[in-house]
Amino acid sequence: MSERDTYRVIKALEETVTMGNLTIETPDKLRYHFGKSGATPKGIMQVRDSAFFSRVLSGGDPLLVLGEGYMREEWVTPENDIASVIGVLLENHVHERLMLSRYKYKIMFQHLLARMQHANTGRWQKNIWAHYDYPDKFYEAFLSDDMGYTCGFG
């Protein structure tokens, strides 16, 4: 289980669920309440497998992951009231929030990676030139008469 993934899902629910009422119970028996007390729809999720939170953030459609998790019994709901849980999530557009969150982190990571690659490009060029910017006498000492060489790396 990734505690960070659990935190990210809980945080997304805190920021998103304003209509209805949703309670999530983690495998550690911690209970989180979202939305308005007494409001409908009222959904209760009892998460049995903490890996479910990581799967929600894994990159697939959160609604698909929700359904798959229910079928795998990674989470259950009292009296099999899955319609209420889905109702709260859909009414609050939670799946869109999770998709946007993942997209935001993906874009941030891609931007960081691009900056790192760009920053290293100059160094790579300098390193290449530094290794090839020796006088011919240096290479004549160990290369063949036609200055040819092969690479033994393989």
Side-chain angles (χ1 to χ4, degrees):
M1 170 188 127
S2 168
E3 288 182 24
R4 186 171 24 174
D5 289 342
T6 301
Y7 171 80
R8 285 177 57 200
V9 171
I10 296 300
K11 189 72 174 159
L13 291 169
E14 281 178 354
E15 294 172 357
T16 310
V17 177
T18 58
M19 298 177 282
N21 183 339
L22 179 65
T23 300
I24 294 189
E25 184 178 299
T26 68
D28 303 334
K29 302 299 180 204
L30 297 173
R31 293 179 72 104
Y32 298 91
H33 303 280
F34 310 99
K36 297 178 176 137
S37 181
T40 57
K42 179 181 179 179
I44 300 172
M45 289 181 69
Q46 296 168 328
V47 179
R48 292 180 169 178
D49 184 350
S50 54
F52 172 72
F53 295 112
S54 297
R55 287 190 352 94
V56 166
L57 298 172
S58 68
D61 182 341
L63 289 177
L64 182 61
V65 172
L66 180 76
E68 290 172 346
Y70 184 77
M71 295 304 293
R72 291 182 180 136
E73 296 186 357
E74 293 174 337
W75 70 274
V76 296
T77 184
E79 300 175 22
N80 293 323
D81 191 13
I82 189 172
S84 294
V85 171
I86 291 174
V88 174
L89 296 175
L90 287 175
E91 187 171 323
N92 289 282
H93 305 279
V94 171
H95 60 292
E96 293 171 12
R97 166 69 168 85
L98 290 169
M99 293 287 279
L100 181 62
S101 175
R102 283 197 313 243
Y103 180 72
K104 179 178 84 174
Y105 286 112
K106 181 178 179 182
I107 293 298
M108 287 171 48
F109 178 74
Q110 288 174 339
H111 180 70
L112 177 64
L113 186 61
R115 288 187 69 198
M116 289 171 55
Q117 288 173 338
H118 179 70
N120 287 334
T121 301
R123 271 187 266 154
W124 292 339
Q125 289 173 344
K126 288 177 188 173
N127 286 338
I128 290 168
W129 281 112
H131 285 87
Y132 285 94
D133 198 20
Y134 290 107
D136 286 347
K137 288 218 178 268
F138 173 77
Y139 294 105
E140 289 170 355
F142 62 91
L143 294 177
S144 63
D145 292 338
D146 62 356
M147 300 288 277
Y149 68 93
T150 60
C151 177
F153 183 79

